Every structure is written in structure tokens, then in C-alpha cells.
Amino acid sequence: QASFLPQTMPQVPHVRFAVHYLLCGRVGGDFYDIFRLDEKHVGFYVADAMGHGVAASLLTIFVKKGVRTKEVNGSQYRLLPPDEVLYKLNRDLIDQQLSEQPFITMVYALFNHIDGTLQFSRAGHPYPLHIPKEGEPRLWKQEGLLLGVHDAKYPRGSHHLGMGDKLLFYTDGVDSARFEDNEPGVDSLVACAARHRELPVQEFIA
């Protein structure tokens, strides 16, 4: 399973990526990927195949192979927007007609690192947390159903990231985490992010 995770982060101007990956067992359902799509765009996602063990880890492999981010037609190509990526993946999962219904959450983003525009769509996954250089951290709330359950469409949100901003994708593993005297989960996450917002991104993640 570890071999399917990125071994390095893309090197692009003005942007730094960092990850902290900690399993609660030998194999699990949390996974992510990040990739350069062209000279302007980076795609990345975090997903969670609910459950643990071999069944969940096999679903992660299926999803990784099933994420289609680009359509190529001769010498031309088109980058698929996040809502279309999740829609096609959801259809593929439903078409498999698995004996046990998969429950997969995911958030996929397409980031233009030239102009700072980030588009994302969400399938039942925890909301991304935006930590601006100045101002209060806030969740980017975008609705969207789980993958693999029903035929669905996935609304697309669009935001701008400024110099010094941070954007945090995470899984539901933080739901039981407590920071100081805050309530466990999102309240603690937001408070911790606000406290450490000035740190370099790798230290911030840790």
C-alpha cells in the first residue's frame, strides 16, 4: 500500500507541499496523491475508504487507478475539473456492482500555481481548512455525497490562495483529537492551525 503513495512532492514555483501520514494499523483506508498536470496546474486529493485492513486497502488501489484527471485527444488535452473527476470515479465504482457497497470519501483539488486559483470538489470528506496569512482560519464548505453509493453530481468550489496562505486537507482521524481546552475534532483543529499558522509548512503539519 505504501508503494502507491507519492514518494516526493512536486516542485513548483511559489508553492510548498507537505504531508503527515500516520496509520492506526498495518494497512488502512486513508490515502492521497499529488501530481503535476502541466506547466500551470497541480492536482491532488485526500481520500478515505471507510474501514481498515485488506478490503479498505484494495479499494484505495482501485480508486488510485480510477482517478482520471486529463483527457488527451491527439496533440490536445483537457484537464478535467474536480466535479467531473469525482463524477466519473463515482460512476466507475457503481458500475463495478461490488458485493459490499464501498463507502469512500474524497476531496480533489485542481490548483493553478500561476494565478493562485484553486478549484475543488468534495465527496463526503471533511471540509478543507483555509488558513490565510491574515484573518481567521475557516472551513471551505462544499456539499457532496460519498463515492460509490448513488449516482450523484459534485458541486465545484473556486477560491484564491494568496502568498503566505495555507490549505489543509485531512481525514476523519482528527475527530477524536483534542488541542488544549477545545472540543475534540474540528474546534481543536482550527485552534491548533491558528496557533501555529506562522510555522513553515512541514513543521505546521507536524
Side-chain angles (χ1 to χ4, degrees):
Q1 185 181 10
S3 68
F4 277 86
L5 299 174
Q7 303 304 304
T8 60
M9 296 288 106
Q11 301 297 310
V12 297
H14 314 302
V15 185
R16 296 293 179 270
F17 297 97
V19 64
H20 182 76
Y21 186 70
L22 181 65
L23 289 171
C24 65
R26 288 181 59 86
V27 294
D30 294 338
F31 60 110
Y32 65 96
D33 204 354
I34 181 168
F35 32 78
R36 291 193 72 160
L37 291 167
D38 61 18
E39 68 279 2
K40 293 183 179 180
H41 296 91
V42 177
F44 53 96
Y45 65 79
V46 175
D48 180 8
M50 294 186 183
H52 303 284
V54 174
S57 66
L58 289 175
L59 271 178
T60 70
I61 295 171
F62 178 91
V63 170
K64 181 177 174 64
K65 292 294 187 181
V67 172
R68 287 173 280 169
T69 59
K70 184 185 294 188
E71 287 183 347
V72 179
N73 185 10
S75 60
Q76 305 293 316
Y77 70 88
R78 180 177 74 94
L79 298 183
L80 273 60
D83 53 325
E84 196 170 333
V85 171
L86 293 188
Y87 176 80
K88 289 178 179 294
L89 180 59
N90 185 55
R91 284 300 325 163
D92 287 347
L93 284 163
I94 292 172
D95 290 345
Q96 293 302 309
Q97 297 183 335
L98 300 174
S99 57
E100 291 189 13
Q101 196 172 51
F103 292 97
I104 299 168
T105 70
M106 186 173 185
V107 56
Y108 173 74
L110 177 64
F111 181 53
N112 183 326
H113 61 82
I114 302 299
D115 65 13
T117 301
L118 185 139
Q119 303 176 55
F120 81 100
S121 292
R122 172 184 164 275
H125 203 77
Y127 298 121
L129 179 62
H130 178 223
I131 306 99
K133 185 176 182 180
E134 297 179 355
E136 293 301 312
R138 68 184 184 95
L139 298 170
W140 282 353
K141 295 188 176 181
Q142 185 71 60
E143 298 313 307
L145 295 175
L146 294 167
L147 295 172
V149 180
H150 300 293
D151 195 12
K153 293 186 177 180
Y154 297 89
R156 183 193 341 161
S158 182
H159 299 270
H160 180 265
L161 291 176
M163 295 298 287
D165 288 4
K166 293 180 173 69
L167 181 63
L168 180 65
F169 284 12
Y170 54 97
T171 69
D172 60 7
V174 304
D175 284 350
S176 58
R178 179 187 290 272
F179 178 69
E180 297 182 340
D181 295 329
N182 298 280
E183 289 296 315
V186 170
D187 287 351
S188 283
L189 181 69
V190 172
C192 185
R195 171 74 59 83
H196 300 294
R197 65 196 306 159
E198 300 295 336
L199 290 176
V201 65
Q202 189 63 62
E203 296 176 40
F204 173 80
I205 292 295

mmCIF file of all heavy atoms in Angstrom, residues 68-93:
data_model
loop_
_atom_site.group_PDB
_atom_site.id
_atom_site.type_symbol
_atom_site.label_atom_id
_atom_site.label_comp_id
_atom_site.label_asym_id
_atom_site.label_seq_id
_atom_site.Cartn_x
_atom_site.Cartn_y
_atom_site.Cartn_z
ATOM 1 N N ARG A 68 -9.267 9.863 -13.053
ATOM 2 C CA ARG A 68 -8.901 10.374 -14.383
ATOM 3 C C ARG A 68 -8.912 11.893 -14.336
ATOM 4 O O ARG A 68 -9.949 12.505 -14.090
ATOM 5 C CB ARG A 68 -9.887 9.857 -15.437
ATOM 6 C CG ARG A 68 -9.708 8.375 -15.747
ATOM 7 C CD ARG A 68 -10.815 7.875 -16.655
ATOM 8 N NE ARG A 68 -12.044 7.614 -15.892
ATOM 9 C CZ ARG A 68 -13.228 7.362 -16.451
ATOM 10 N NH1 ARG A 68 -13.352 7.384 -17.760
ATOM 11 N NH2 ARG A 68 -14.283 7.116 -15.691
ATOM 12 N N THR A 69 -7.759 12.490 -14.575
ATOM 13 C CA THR A 69 -7.609 13.931 -14.417
ATOM 14 C C THR A 69 -7.388 14.673 -15.731
ATOM 15 O O THR A 69 -7.437 15.899 -15.765
ATOM 16 C CB THR A 69 -6.421 14.238 -13.498
ATOM 17 O OG1 THR A 69 -5.230 13.669 -14.078
ATOM 18 C CG2 THR A 69 -6.648 13.634 -12.116
ATOM 19 N N LYS A 70 -7.146 13.933 -16.811
ATOM 20 C CA LYS A 70 -6.801 14.562 -18.083
ATOM 21 C C LYS A 70 -7.361 13.726 -19.231
ATOM 22 O O LYS A 70 -7.307 12.498 -19.191
ATOM 23 C CB LYS A 70 -5.280 14.672 -18.207
ATOM 24 C CG LYS A 70 -4.784 15.402 -19.439
ATOM 25 C CD LYS A 70 -3.259 15.366 -19.541
ATOM 26 C CE LYS A 70 -2.573 16.139 -18.445
ATOM 27 N NZ LYS A 70 -1.097 16.261 -18.676
ATOM 28 N N GLU A 71 -7.922 14.396 -20.227
ATOM 29 C CA GLU A 71 -8.351 13.751 -21.464
ATOM 30 C C GLU A 71 -7.426 14.199 -22.586
ATOM 31 O O GLU A 71 -7.234 15.398 -22.798
ATOM 32 C CB GLU A 71 -9.796 14.113 -21.803
ATOM 33 C CG GLU A 71 -10.824 13.449 -20.906
ATOM 34 C CD GLU A 71 -12.249 13.781 -21.328
ATOM 35 O OE1 GLU A 71 -12.419 14.721 -22.153
ATOM 36 O OE2 GLU A 71 -13.173 13.135 -20.820
ATOM 37 N N VAL A 72 -6.853 13.235 -23.305
ATOM 38 C CA VAL A 72 -5.919 13.534 -24.375
ATOM 39 C C VAL A 72 -6.558 13.170 -25.702
ATOM 40 O O VAL A 72 -7.107 12.067 -25.865
ATOM 41 C CB VAL A 72 -4.600 12.762 -24.191
ATOM 42 C CG1 VAL A 72 -3.635 13.076 -25.342
ATOM 43 C CG2 VAL A 72 -3.966 13.101 -22.848
ATOM 44 N N ASN A 73 -6.503 14.099 -26.640
ATOM 45 C CA ASN A 73 -7.040 13.876 -27.983
ATOM 46 C C ASN A 73 -5.989 14.341 -28.987
ATOM 47 O O ASN A 73 -5.895 15.528 -29.296
ATOM 48 C CB ASN A 73 -8.353 14.633 -28.174
ATOM 49 C CG ASN A 73 -8.999 14.337 -29.520
ATOM 50 O OD1 ASN A 73 -8.575 13.436 -30.236
ATOM 51 N ND2 ASN A 73 -10.018 15.109 -29.860
ATOM 52 N N GLY A 74 -5.187 13.389 -29.468
ATOM 53 C CA GLY A 74 -4.102 13.740 -30.365
ATOM 54 C C GLY A 74 -3.072 14.576 -29.640
ATOM 55 O O GLY A 74 -2.534 14.174 -28.608
ATOM 56 N N SER A 75 -2.795 15.763 -30.170
ATOM 57 C CA SER A 75 -1.819 16.654 -29.549
ATOM 58 C C SER A 75 -2.474 17.609 -28.547
ATOM 59 O O SER A 75 -1.800 18.433 -27.937
ATOM 60 C CB SER A 75 -1.091 17.470 -30.622
ATOM 61 O OG SER A 75 -2.022 18.258 -31.353
ATOM 62 N N GLN A 76 -3.799 17.492 -28.384
ATOM 63 C CA GLN A 76 -4.529 18.361 -27.470
ATOM 64 C C GLN A 76 -4.899 17.606 -26.188
ATOM 65 O O GLN A 76 -5.007 16.379 -26.193
ATOM 66 C CB GLN A 76 -5.811 18.883 -28.138
ATOM 67 C CG GLN A 76 -5.579 19.594 -29.458
ATOM 68 C CD GLN A 76 -4.816 20.888 -29.292
ATOM 69 O OE1 GLN A 76 -5.105 21.671 -28.382
ATOM 70 N NE2 GLN A 76 -3.835 21.128 -30.164
ATOM 71 N N TYR A 77 -5.084 18.337 -25.120
ATOM 72 C CA TYR A 77 -5.555 17.711 -23.892
ATOM 73 C C TYR A 77 -6.478 18.674 -23.156
ATOM 74 O O TYR A 77 -6.464 19.883 -23.384
ATOM 75 C CB TYR A 77 -4.398 17.286 -22.987
ATOM 76 C CG TYR A 77 -3.641 18.438 -22.362
ATOM 77 C CD1 TYR A 77 -4.041 18.990 -21.143
ATOM 78 C CD2 TYR A 77 -2.514 18.969 -22.989
ATOM 79 C CE1 TYR A 77 -3.361 20.037 -20.571
ATOM 80 C CE2 TYR A 77 -1.821 20.031 -22.423
ATOM 81 C CZ TYR A 77 -2.240 20.559 -21.212
ATOM 82 O OH TYR A 77 -1.557 21.606 -20.647
ATOM 83 N N ARG A 78 -7.275 18.106 -22.291
ATOM 84 C CA ARG A 78 -8.169 18.888 -21.447
ATOM 85 C C ARG A 78 -8.036 18.398 -20.018
ATOM 86 O O ARG A 78 -8.126 17.189 -19.762
ATOM 87 C CB ARG A 78 -9.622 18.730 -21.916
ATOM 88 C CG ARG A 78 -10.632 19.513 -21.075
ATOM 89 C CD ARG A 78 -12.050 19.372 -21.647
ATOM 90 N NE ARG A 78 -12.620 18.055 -21.373
ATOM 91 C CZ ARG A 78 -13.395 17.788 -20.305
ATOM 92 N NH1 ARG A 78 -13.658 18.740 -19.418
ATOM 93 N NH2 ARG A 78 -13.889 16.574 -20.129
ATOM 94 N N LEU A 79 -7.804 19.336 -19.090
ATOM 95 C CA LEU A 79 -7.777 18.978 -17.676
ATOM 96 C C LEU A 79 -9.211 18.882 -17.175
ATOM 97 O O LEU A 79 -10.001 19.810 -17.356
ATOM 98 C CB LEU A 79 -7.006 20.011 -16.867
ATOM 99 C CG LEU A 79 -5.526 20.189 -17.226
ATOM 100 C CD1 LEU A 79 -4.883 21.202 -16.288
ATOM 101 C CD2 LEU A 79 -4.782 18.867 -17.186
ATOM 102 N N LEU A 80 -9.554 17.768 -16.553
ATOM 103 C CA LEU A 80 -10.901 17.592 -16.039
ATOM 104 C C LEU A 80 -11.065 18.400 -14.752
ATOM 105 O O LEU A 80 -10.224 18.305 -13.848
ATOM 106 C CB LEU A 80 -11.207 16.117 -15.767
ATOM 107 C CG LEU A 80 -11.743 15.293 -16.943
ATOM 108 C CD1 LEU A 80 -10.759 15.273 -18.101
ATOM 109 C CD2 LEU A 80 -12.075 13.882 -16.492
ATOM 110 N N PRO A 81 -12.139 19.180 -14.653
ATOM 111 C CA PRO A 81 -12.391 19.913 -13.416
ATOM 112 C C PRO A 81 -12.747 18.931 -12.292
ATOM 113 O O PRO A 81 -13.174 17.793 -12.543
ATOM 114 C CB PRO A 81 -13.563 20.817 -13.769
ATOM 115 C CG PRO A 81 -14.248 20.131 -14.898
ATOM 116 C CD PRO A 81 -13.175 19.429 -15.671
ATOM 117 N N PRO A 82 -12.585 19.333 -11.035
ATOM 118 C CA PRO A 82 -12.796 18.419 -9.908
ATOM 119 C C PRO A 82 -14.176 17.766 -9.878
ATOM 120 O O PRO A 82 -14.297 16.582 -9.527
ATOM 121 C CB PRO A 82 -12.574 19.307 -8.684
ATOM 122 C CG PRO A 82 -11.597 20.327 -9.155
ATOM 123 C CD PRO A 82 -11.995 20.610 -10.578
ATOM 124 N N ASP A 83 -15.235 18.512 -10.230
ATOM 125 C CA ASP A 83 -16.567 17.911 -10.197
ATOM 126 C C ASP A 83 -16.683 16.763 -11.186
ATOM 127 O O ASP A 83 -17.319 15.738 -10.898
ATOM 128 C CB ASP A 83 -17.641 18.964 -10.471
ATOM 129 C CG ASP A 83 -17.398 19.742 -11.750
ATOM 130 O OD1 ASP A 83 -16.231 20.000 -12.098
ATOM 131 O OD2 ASP A 83 -18.388 20.103 -12.413
ATOM 132 N N GLU A 84 -16.028 16.889 -12.331
ATOM 133 C CA GLU A 84 -16.072 15.828 -13.343
ATOM 134 C C GLU A 84 -15.226 14.630 -12.927
ATOM 135 O O GLU A 84 -15.602 13.474 -13.166
ATOM 136 C CB GLU A 84 -15.584 16.387 -14.681
ATOM 137 C CG GLU A 84 -15.946 15.524 -15.873
ATOM 138 C CD GLU A 84 -15.663 16.215 -17.197
ATOM 139 O OE1 GLU A 84 -15.684 17.477 -17.234
ATOM 140 O OE2 GLU A 84 -15.404 15.507 -18.176
ATOM 141 N N VAL A 85 -14.082 14.883 -12.297
ATOM 142 C CA VAL A 85 -13.239 13.795 -11.804
ATOM 143 C C VAL A 85 -14.023 12.919 -10.822
ATOM 144 O O VAL A 85 -14.033 11.680 -10.926
ATOM 145 C CB VAL A 85 -11.966 14.352 -11.134
ATOM 146 C CG1 VAL A 85 -11.197 13.238 -10.417
ATOM 147 C CG2 VAL A 85 -11.068 15.032 -12.167
ATOM 148 N N LEU A 86 -14.693 13.549 -9.858
ATOM 149 C CA LEU A 86 -15.443 12.776 -8.860
ATOM 150 C C LEU A 86 -16.661 12.103 -9.478
ATOM 151 O O LEU A 86 -16.996 10.969 -9.109
ATOM 152 C CB LEU A 86 -15.862 13.679 -7.700
ATOM 153 C CG LEU A 86 -14.734 14.229 -6.817
ATOM 154 C CD1 LEU A 86 -15.320 14.930 -5.597
ATOM 155 C CD2 LEU A 86 -13.760 13.149 -6.396
ATOM 156 N N TYR A 87 -17.320 12.773 -10.400
ATOM 157 C CA TYR A 87 -18.492 12.174 -11.053
ATOM 158 C C TYR A 87 -18.101 10.893 -11.789
ATOM 159 O O TYR A 87 -18.774 9.856 -11.657
ATOM 160 C CB TYR A 87 -19.120 13.168 -12.025
ATOM 161 C CG TYR A 87 -20.272 12.581 -12.813
ATOM 162 C CD1 TYR A 87 -21.545 12.472 -12.247
ATOM 163 C CD2 TYR A 87 -20.083 12.126 -14.114
ATOM 164 C CE1 TYR A 87 -22.596 11.920 -12.961
ATOM 165 C CE2 TYR A 87 -21.131 11.561 -14.837
ATOM 166 C CZ TYR A 87 -22.378 11.462 -14.261
ATOM 167 O OH TYR A 87 -23.421 10.911 -14.962
ATOM 168 N N LYS A 88 -17.031 10.932 -12.570
ATOM 169 C CA LYS A 88 -16.606 9.754 -13.332
ATOM 170 C C LYS A 88 -16.152 8.630 -12.404
ATOM 171 O O LYS A 88 -16.442 7.453 -12.641
ATOM 172 C CB LYS A 88 -15.481 10.141 -14.297
ATOM 173 C CG LYS A 88 -15.928 11.014 -15.464
ATOM 174 C CD LYS A 88 -14.747 11.389 -16.345
ATOM 175 C CE LYS A 88 -15.178 12.254 -17.532
ATOM 176 N NZ LYS A 88 -16.038 11.518 -18.484
ATOM 177 N N LEU A 89 -15.431 8.984 -11.352
ATOM 178 C CA LEU A 89 -14.976 7.964 -10.407
ATOM 179 C C LEU A 89 -16.162 7.312 -9.710
ATOM 180 O O LEU A 89 -16.194 6.082 -9.520
ATOM 181 C CB LEU A 89 -14.023 8.593 -9.389
ATOM 182 C CG LEU A 89 -13.457 7.667 -8.313
ATOM 183 C CD1 LEU A 89 -12.688 6.512 -8.932
ATOM 184 C CD2 LEU A 89 -12.563 8.461 -7.361
ATOM 185 N N ASN A 90 -17.139 8.105 -9.330
ATOM 186 C CA ASN A 90 -18.329 7.568 -8.681
ATOM 187 C C ASN A 90 -19.064 6.603 -9.607
ATOM 188 O O ASN A 90 -19.508 5.521 -9.187
ATOM 189 C CB ASN A 90 -19.255 8.716 -8.272
ATOM 190 C CG ASN A 90 -20.456 8.248 -7.490
ATOM 191 O OD1 ASN A 90 -20.336 7.577 -6.470
ATOM 192 N ND2 ASN A 90 -21.653 8.587 -7.966
ATOM 193 N N ARG A 91 -19.201 6.970 -10.886
ATOM 194 C CA ARG A 91 -19.857 6.092 -11.854
ATOM 195 C C ARG A 91 -19.099 4.772 -11.986
ATOM 196 O O ARG A 91 -19.709 3.696 -12.048
ATOM 197 C CB ARG A 91 -19.929 6.775 -13.223
ATOM 198 C CG ARG A 91 -20.974 7.856 -13.368
ATOM 199 C CD ARG A 91 -22.389 7.372 -13.133
ATOM 200 N NE ARG A 91 -22.627 6.020 -13.603
ATOM 201 C CZ ARG A 91 -23.653 5.271 -13.239
ATOM 202 N NH1 ARG A 91 -24.528 5.738 -12.363
ATOM 203 N NH2 ARG A 91 -23.819 4.062 -13.720
ATOM 204 N N ASP A 92 -17.778 4.845 -12.028
ATOM 205 C CA ASP A 92 -16.965 3.630 -12.143
ATOM 206 C C ASP A 92 -17.185 2.705 -10.949
ATOM 207 O O ASP A 92 -17.291 1.479 -11.100
ATOM 208 C CB ASP A 92 -15.480 3.981 -12.252
ATOM 209 C CG ASP A 92 -15.120 4.576 -13.599
ATOM 210 O OD1 ASP A 92 -15.955 4.482 -14.530
ATOM 211 O OD2 ASP A 92 -14.017 5.134 -13.728
ATOM 212 N N LEU A 93 -17.244 3.284 -9.754
ATOM 213 C CA LEU A 93 -17.449 2.474 -8.549
ATOM 214 C C LEU A 93 -18.819 1.812 -8.571
ATOM 215 O O LEU A 93 -18.957 0.622 -8.242
ATOM 216 C CB LEU A 93 -17.298 3.344 -7.300
ATOM 217 C CG LEU A 93 -15.860 3.714 -6.921
ATOM 218 C CD1 LEU A 93 -15.850 4.876 -5.949
ATOM 219 C CD2 LEU A 93 -15.150 2.504 -6.317
#
